Amino acid sequence: MPAGLNRALLTVAGAAIAVVLAIAICSVAIVVAGGSPLDALVAFFDFGNSARAESNSVATFLNRAVPLFIAGLAVAVGFRMNLFNIGVEGQYRIAAICAAFVGSTFTAPAPIQIAVIILVAAAVGGLYALIPAVMKVTRGVNEVISTIMLNYIAIALSAYLLREPFAGERAEGQLNTTTPPLPDSGMFPDLNFVFEWFGMLPPTRNGGLWGFLLVAVVLGVVIWVVLERTRFGFNVKASGLNGPAAQASGVNPKKMIIAAMVLSGGIAGLIGLPEILGDRGAYTNNFTAGLGFLGIAVALLGRNKPVGIAFAALLFAFLDRAQGALQFADIPASVVTIIQGAIVLLVVVANEVTNRIALRIEERRAAQQLGRNTPVEVAA
């Protein structure tokens, strides 16, 4: 069996075992809390008791997976360079509010309007990620520390911008503070017609199925090509594995650090757009938070591969969607957090174990190949 296939099978097996063990650990926690693991399992697959409720549940599930997938891609780009970009959380928050405000200041045909909003979000996220990159290559500041601190700055700055210069007019009786609403041309068309293909009613909650799903799919393909099939992707990986060796071969590791962090930040800037362009039409004070941190878990579970990240995002979205159903079954919604946390811990262990097993297999194959190629002395 080819070495690459062996490693792929071990990776899939390790992730699957980690998920199963996480569910087992969570089942113990449910029993200790006085609940029933079987009731929890039923709740996870409860998509509603009507055709419309099922459509809304499926749309919610897919809508949740889209930003998680983009967040996982952003984190994975940093991981490829051996960089821990914890600042994805702050990068997408500051990018989202800037893009929402800029998009509300003008009106243009839909393709131009949406393209400008996307470019602004990517640019702001990339520029914000440039700060820790420059600090690392010029002063040697660890990116973990700098991005954590920049997260707090971004969150506080977003709150200030929403309250003062970027605040829109608040309607009578409105409690939420928002940026000015986007024009109709700034809203991404939904994909509700897909449900009709499968004989389902179109969803009606939270804007239906967000059209930004298509952008996420294209983005995943582009990132796969860039990282796996281009010289840039090879240079990023080589610089992350061994900077001095990469430099000896003509690659500038410092430039690769800056490029990888800016690319990671640019992708992170898109995380909040599905919600803004698909449902809210503005940045609000109850904008979804925590997606950047979940992206770290998604990237780890997906082994930094776009296809793996897609499956990991779907898994985490599936777990998040079940929180309401769990509460109706008298099971704490924190069960989802326990499962997600256990998956992250177990995946890290599984990755290390599978890497060692794959290394042993390759060593044995190399030894066997060497033995076959060694000439045998013939006695006189």
Side-chain angles (χ1 to χ4, degrees):
M1 187 178 294
L5 183 57
N6 267 334
R7 184 175 289 274
L9 290 175
L10 286 171
T11 299
V12 173
I17 292 172
V19 172
V20 171
L21 289 177
I23 293 174
I25 293 172
C26 189
S27 297
V28 174
I30 293 173
V31 172
V32 171
S36 168
L38 184 59
D39 291 342
L41 183 62
V42 172
F44 275 119
F45 292 92
D46 181 10
F47 282 82
N49 52 10
S50 68
R52 184 74 70 182
E54 290 179 359
S55 298
N56 287 331
S57 294
V58 172
T60 300
F61 159 55
L62 294 175
N63 289 344
R64 179 65 172 176
V66 171
L68 290 177
F69 174 66
I70 300 174
L73 289 178
V75 175
V77 171
F79 280 160
R80 282 299 186 92
M81 185 61 214
N82 203 21
L83 296 172
F84 206 162
N85 183 13
I86 301 181
V88 169
E89 179 72 19
Q91 290 154 18
Y92 93 81
R93 298 278 285 273
I94 193 68
I97 189 171
C98 290
F101 177 74
V102 171
S104 69
T105 59
F106 71 101
T107 301
I112 298 176
Q113 187 92 22
I114 294 173
V116 170
I117 293 172
I118 292 175
L119 289 175
V120 169
V124 173
L127 289 174
Y128 202 71
L130 179 63
I131 300 173
V134 172
M135 292 173 66
K136 183 175 181 66
V137 299
T138 59
R139 308 302 300 174
V141 178
N142 188 287
E143 74 278 0
V144 174
I145 297 174
S146 59
T147 51
I148 288 176
M149 296 299 101
L150 286 168
N151 275 342
Y152 289 104
I153 295 174
I155 293 171
L157 180 59
S158 298
Y160 165 73
L161 292 175
L162 184 61
R163 190 175 63 252
E164 295 292 342
F166 289 0
E169 294 183 5
R170 186 182 300 183
E172 185 177 353
Q174 180 181 352
L175 298 178
N176 293 336
T177 304
T178 72
T179 56
L182 293 175
D184 291 339
S185 60
M187 300 300 293
F188 212 102
D190 61 57
L191 300 178
N192 291 345
F193 61 89
V194 174
F195 288 83
E196 298 177 0
W197 293 352
F198 295 94
M200 301 175 66
L201 294 176
T204 57
R205 189 171 59 195
N206 299 330
L209 180 59
W210 298 339
F212 211 84
L213 171 64
L214 299 178
V215 177
V217 172
V218 173
L219 180 63
V221 174
V222 170
I223 294 302
W224 178 82
V225 171
V226 169
L227 294 182
E228 302 290 344
R229 293 292 184 268
T230 66
R231 181 176 180 178
F232 172 80
F234 175 80
N235 290 343
V236 166
K237 187 175 182 180
S239 301
L241 291 174
N242 193 324
Q247 189 168 16
S249 64
V251 179
N252 189 331
K254 291 185 177 180
K255 287 185 178 180
M256 288 297 102
I257 289 174
I258 293 177
M261 280 296 287
V262 170
L263 178 59
S264 176
I267 298 171
L270 306 181
I271 295 172
L273 295 189
E275 182 176 347
I276 294 175
L277 302 183
D279 178 26
R280 297 179 183 270
Y283 183 96
T284 69
N285 59 354
N286 60 351
F287 190 74
T288 302
L291 295 173
F293 297 122
L294 284 174
I296 298 173
V298 170
L300 286 173
L301 182 57
R303 294 299 296 268
N304 302 324
K305 304 287 186 179
V307 174
I309 292 171
F311 282 107
L314 289 171
L315 174 61
F316 272 61
F318 177 77
L319 295 174
D320 284 343
R321 183 210 60 82
Q323 290 186 9
L326 286 172
Q327 291 178 341
F328 282 117
D330 294 328
I331 297 172
S334 57
V335 164
V336 172
T337 306
I338 295 174
I339 294 179
Q340 291 175 340
I343 287 175
V344 174
L345 292 175
L346 292 170
V347 162
V348 172
V349 175
N351 287 349
E352 183 64 26
V353 172
T354 55
N355 285 337
R356 292 187 180 186
I357 293 175
L359 182 61
R360 294 279 181 86
I361 293 174
E362 291 174 6
E363 288 175 347
R364 290 177 183 175
R365 181 182 288 106
Q368 292 173 357
Q369 188 68 26
L370 182 62
R372 284 196 296 266
N373 293 338
T374 303
V376 179
E377 295 184 1
V378 180

